Amino acid sequence: MKLKLAIALALAAMSAQAAEPWMDKSLNADKRAELALQAMTQQEKLKWVLGHFGSDFGNKTKKHPAALPSSAGYIEGVPRLGLPALFETDAGLGVATQASKTPRERTSLPSGLATAATWDRDLAYKGGAMIGAEARASGFNVMLAGGVNLLREPRNGRNFEYAGEDPLLAGTMVAQQVRGIQSNNIIATMKHYAVNDQETGRFILDARIDDASNRMSDLLAFQLLMEQADPGSVMCSYNRLNGVYACENDYLLNQVLKKDWGYKGYVMTDWGATHSTVESANAGLDQQSGWEFDKSQYFGGALEEAVVNGHVPQARLDNMVFRILSAMFDKGVVDNPVAEGGNIDFDAHALVSRADAEDSLVLLKNAGDVLPLKAGAKKIVIIGAHADVGVLAGGGSSLVYPIGGNAVPGIAPTSWPGPVVYHPSSPLKAIQARAPGAQVIYNDGSDPAAAAQAAAGADVVLVFAQQWIGEALDAVSLALPDNQDALIGAVAKANPKTVVVLETSGPVLMPWVDQAAGIVQAWYPGTRGGEAIARVLFGEVNPSGHLPATFPASESQLPRPKLDGDPKNETVRFTVNYHEGAAVGYKWFDLKGLKPLFPFGHGLSYTQFAYTGLAASQKEGKLQLKFKITNTGAVKGKDVPQLYVAPVSAKWEAPKRLVGWDKVELAPGESKEVSVTVDPRLLGVFDSKSKTWRIAKGGYKVLLAHDAADSKAASITVQLPQRTLNVAGK
Ligand code: BGC
């Protein structure tokens, strides 16, 4: 009887709401937002712009009672108008939990940099769709995922959350992930906007870069993501840009994002990135997040007062709310309410994560075809990195707690930005399962001499090396920590058939590069990482990952050989001068004539590919490139042919830029035609005065390459006419 009454009441409420004009699904999102806004009181409007932390904030404040436990954030809705609250969760690798004794156990994708290393748009989309489904099933309708900061600084502790050093690759891959997430009728968040490219001093540093360079590098990655995926929200970052905090930066928010790019969604702050009421509101900020992290409820009573006193126009407050509501209607948040406790198919999701990991592994070196592992091996020695029980994850807000718990608990730091977590996917077990006739021995690697002794005489030795890093930290250097270089050196000396498997956030130095026969870059490989590694080592999967970032030969090659700021003193404001401008990563290496350890785009396979017939045409002002790719080896495999353009006489920030690629799977002997249309912005230079992209008339060399340093790349020269494009590249 009670149930019947409840259902009747719910139905009555629903039909009342359904009768409200903004619930009419035939109207567009903007119209619906406008109608809902008209029905709101000032107090209701103010609720939308103030975000609450979804967990207790130390001993200071308790979490908002209606927020989901141990979640990132909560924004009150207006139930009387049928407008649901916003439940926010991190992040790009899956559904995270804020520090908690009872974490949500969810599926973790491999790191963002790993997904970028697949260069596979479809895998990025599927990964996004999978984690978005878990977010929805966990009761969240906003996923703080869509990190696209460029890898300008290889020591940056959050590189593993992002998608590498090239704006086209990063923008495109993260756009696919965001599209996948939003296919679940939830909102995703492009972040951290902008030039938040190192963690040391992130709350105080002032990133300096000129407008044109920024538009052709960091901002271009955001612009491409926005255009291709239309994320419902954007998160402004902690740092200052050219003297002004990103979350009260009129240039970033009002001018570039909303005016130049025509962004329609809303801007939320990072947690603890709000510094003012009037400046922020008028600079284009729409929502203060997790206010508990800030000095004050800047968008609470203070904003109400600022509107009353005319410091912030009522129209600005209305526009903040309009943008939030419009994103909610547009992404399907209102029409498809979320609920906690939804069903999650963890087995199917693990396979999505594994497929991503498999395609992300980069075979960096394979001397004497030491890989794939031979079925007849009698003795395999596995060393280090807890490869007996699991695979490493990166730390901080993006950490997804493993299904089945942490495989190696207790490693410091055990609290923020820790704990250090290993997904319980054992490489050892996965290798054993594939070599039933072999003796498989594990040595923990803590004693290089003992490890070398264990390695001597084995058919093959697999040394797992690792570098843990996380949010709020940067790597102190690019060298592997904990004496692992000495370990690898000793093992490789004892047995030349040594293969190194790297579980690192990103680039590391490899003083032992000439001694190791094989090197596999495995990143942080996620929920099924151990299995993915074993499948690639044994050739069940042919490696097809390619580096989304340059691996330098030494830190002296970097634009900043020493990282700016002092991790021990986070109070004194300092500047980071991005003097390299748009010459990020391989562009910097090209410009300076430096030879990296491994170039951007590098990645080997168990087969070979040949490229022929590179040809260009121009259609409706767009450069189109065509070529044929053939698998000339003996096994099936996937390749990533890359197209770069180098101007003959036009002046760019660097000798060449990536303008396109494809990921192609081919059986032995099989060929395919590939065609790529080039975004004209990638052929031009941004002019800040006129806010236009200018393509200079003249010759441009098109290179069809295996990586950014491919000396045998095929090339043709095309003549382009002079062209001017507007700020959106049209
Ligand atoms: C991070 C964001 C994250 C937020 C909420 C901040 O520390 O920088 O990426 O979304 O916390 O957890």
Side-chain angles (χ1 to χ4, degrees):
M1 193 58 212
K2 256 189 185 166
L3 185 69
K4 268 193 185 158
L5 186 66
I7 292 172
L9 284 173
L11 286 176
M14 271 168 64
S15 69
Q17 282 158 15
E20 302 288 12
W22 54 87
M23 299 308 269
D24 178 352
K25 292 183 193 169
S26 71
L27 301 175
N28 70 33
D30 281 3
K31 187 72 201 160
R32 294 174 72 180
E34 194 187 303
L35 291 167
L37 185 69
Q38 281 165 11
M40 257 176 229
T41 66
Q42 186 79 335
Q43 287 312 313
E44 285 169 339
K45 289 178 187 173
L46 285 159
K47 282 187 196 306
W48 291 107
V49 299
L50 181 69
H52 306 262
F53 190 35
S55 306
D56 294 348
F57 190 68
N59 298 327
K60 271 177 38 194
T61 46
K62 289 268 163 233
K63 86 165 182 63
H64 190 291
L68 290 177
S70 301
S71 66
Y74 175 76
I75 288 96
E76 286 178 34
V78 182
R80 88 172 171 94
L81 301 179
L83 299 169
L86 293 173
F87 298 91
E88 298 170 322
T89 183
D90 288 302
L93 315 188
V95 178
T97 310
Q98 295 285 332
S100 162
K101 290 199 182 74
T102 51
R104 284 175 190 82
E105 297 186 355
R106 295 290 183 270
T107 310
S108 176
L109 288 171
S111 66
L113 202 55
T115 299
T118 69
W119 297 59
D120 186 323
R121 297 164 176 88
D122 192 41
L123 281 173
Y125 179 88
K126 285 182 178 145
M130 182 273 280
I131 61 172
E134 292 200 5
R136 164 165 283 279
S138 308
F140 295 105
N141 50 18
V142 180
M143 198 166 204
L144 308 170
V148 76
N149 294 90
L150 279 199
L151 195 154
R152 242 176 217 284
E153 172 47 72
R155 290 157 295 205
N156 177 7
R158 297 189 87 173
N159 283 336
F160 76 91
E161 294 187 50
Y162 305 140
E165 70 190 25
D166 182 80
L168 177 65
L169 179 66
T172 306
M173 294 299 287
V174 183
Q176 289 306 313
Q177 188 192 35
V178 164
R179 288 187 54 238
I181 293 169
Q182 293 193 152
S183 71
N184 293 285
N185 293 309
I186 63 174
I187 290 170
T189 311
M190 166 164 107
K191 71 185 189 181
H192 306 89
Y193 185 71
V195 204
N196 184 181
D197 295 343
Q198 70 170 51
E199 289 297 282
T200 306
R202 64 176 176 167
F203 298 115
I204 48 171
L205 75 79
D206 183 15
R208 300 258 167 176
I209 184 167
D210 69 276
D211 172 61
S213 298
N214 205 354
R215 302 251 193 183
M216 295 190 289
S217 56
D218 289 57
L219 291 180
L220 182 57
F222 282 100
Q223 187 178 11
L224 294 172
L225 193 175
M226 188 207 80
E227 292 167 354
Q228 292 171 28
D230 190 21
S233 61
V234 170
M235 186 190 292
C236 50
S237 55
Y238 288 126
N239 55 291
R240 293 171 158 101
L241 176 69
N242 297 326
V244 184
Y245 280 119
C247 292
E248 54 188 45
N249 195 310
D250 177 74
Y251 160 82
L252 271 181
L253 308 182
N254 279 337
Q255 305 305 324
V256 175
L257 181 70
K258 292 182 176 178
K259 189 157 160 261
D260 295 346
W261 300 349
Y263 180 62
K264 295 261 186 277
Y266 66 100
V267 179
M268 66 168 86
T269 64
D270 201 340
W271 275 230
T274 321
H275 298 276
S276 63
T277 301
V278 177
E279 289 87 337
S280 299
N282 290 337
L285 177 65
D286 300 309
Q287 190 179 67
Q288 176 181 14
S289 305
W291 70 263
E292 296 86 341
F293 286 76
D294 294 315
K295 292 211 173 86
S296 182
Q297 271 198 9
Y298 292 109
F299 275 21
L303 180 60
E304 186 183 4
E305 211 177 295
V307 173
V308 170
N309 293 333
H311 299 308
V312 173
Q314 177 67 40
R316 178 74 266 273
L317 173 62
D318 287 351
N319 182 253
M320 293 176 189
V321 182
F322 170 80
R323 283 173 172 273
I324 297 165
L325 296 176
S326 172
M328 290 172 67
F329 284 116
D330 187 47
K331 303 307 170 206
V333 163
V334 181
D335 298 332
N336 307 275
V338 286
E340 230 187 320
N343 188 44
I344 298 176
D345 186 345
F346 287 113
D347 290 338
H349 289 186
L351 291 180
V352 174
S353 175
R354 193 186 78 181
D356 192 353
E358 286 168 357
D359 263 45
S360 79
L361 262 60
V362 183
L363 181 60
L364 292 173
K365 179 179 176 185
N366 195 19
D369 288 339
V370 64
L371 294 175
L373 297 179
K374 316 289 174 286
K378 289 274 165 289
K379 185 176 171 189
I380 302 174
V381 175
I382 297 174
I383 298 170
H386 303 282
D388 53 337
V389 289
V391 288
L392 188 61
S397 58
S398 69
L399 174 75
V400 179
Y401 277 79
I403 299 157
N406 186 358
V408 193
I411 297 180
T414 50
S415 57
W416 177 261
V420 176
V421 163
Y422 289 76
H423 292 286
S425 173
S426 157
L428 172 77
K429 281 196 191 131
I431 289 163
Q432 250 163 358
R434 286 166 176 79
Q439 182 194 8
V440 183
I441 295 168
Y442 178 72
N443 174 291
D444 72 6
S446 55
D447 175 354
Q453 209 175 6
D459 292 312
V460 68
V461 186
L462 304 166
V463 188
F464 285 74
Q466 61 182 357
Q467 172 217 41
W468 181 83
I469 197 78
E471 180 179 346
L473 293 173
D474 290 321
V476 285
S477 97
L478 290 181
L480 284 170
D482 306 325
N483 212 24
Q484 292 178 96
D485 285 334
L487 170 72
I488 298 168
V491 169
K493 200 168 162 207
N495 192 328
K497 294 220 156 165
T498 290
V499 175
V500 179
V501 179
L502 291 163
E503 289 171 35
T504 67
S505 163
V508 287
L509 303 178
M510 305 180 202
W512 34 262
V513 66
D514 294 330
Q515 281 104 308
I519 307 173
V520 176
Q521 177 60 44
W523 318 105
Y524 299 146
T527 288
R528 284 283 176 90
E531 214 178 298
I533 291 170
R535 278 164 59 83
V536 166
L537 292 177
F538 279 88
E540 275 166 42
V541 171
N542 194 344
S544 65
H546 286 252
L547 294 180
T550 307
F551 276 42
S554 78
E555 281 164 64
S556 64
Q557 293 182 323
L558 300 175
R560 274 159 301 286
K562 196 181 152 313
L563 198 71
D564 287 315
D566 176 2
K568 293 193 193 77
N569 180 351
E570 298 257 328
T571 51
V572 183
R573 176 175 164 177
F574 62 96
T575 58
V576 182
N577 179 14
Y578 289 113
H579 61 86
E580 74 276 31
V584 179
Y586 65 89
K587 294 170 183 161
W588 171 260
F589 277 71
D590 277 355
L591 186 66
K592 298 288 167 187
L594 297 165
K595 190 174 177 318
L597 177 62
F598 292 108
F600 174 84
H602 173 65
L604 303 172
S605 162
Y606 299 148
T607 187
Q608 293 84 41
F609 300 93
Y611 309 149
T612 49
L614 174 61
S617 60
Q618 288 173 62
K619 208 168 147 200
E620 289 155 13
K622 285 203 171 159
L623 179 62
Q624 292 192 328
L625 303 170
K626 274 200 184 111
F627 60 92
K628 193 162 113 180
I629 170 171
T630 306
N631 181 345
T632 57
V635 288
K636 188 172 87 171
K638 294 179 190 169
D639 190 31
V640 180
Q642 299 152 43
L643 289 156
Y644 296 86
V645 168
V648 175
S649 53
K651 257 191 81 64
W652 285 3
E653 72 282 4
K656 68 172 184 288
R657 297 174 185 158
L658 178 76
V659 298
W661 76 89
D662 203 356
K663 184 141 192 181
V664 190
E665 178 161 33
L666 296 169
E670 195 188 352
S671 296
K672 254 183 206 161
E673 291 279 347
V674 175
S675 89
V676 166
T677 303
V678 179
D679 186 318
R681 280 169 291 192
L682 299 170
L683 303 170
V685 170
F686 191 79
D687 177 63
S688 293
K689 255 199 202 135
S690 59
K691 285 199 186 179
T692 55
W693 296 87
R694 294 186 170 184
I695 303 173
K697 176 177 186 298
Y700 291 78
K701 203 169 163 184
V702 178
L703 299 147
L704 173 56
H706 292 272
D707 60 55
D710 185 356
S711 56
K712 296 195 192 106
S715 76
I716 51 171
T717 300
V718 296
Q719 296 296 323
L720 297 180
Q722 199 278 325
R723 267 187 83 193
T724 303
L725 310 157
N726 72 13
V727 70
K730 298 274 152 60

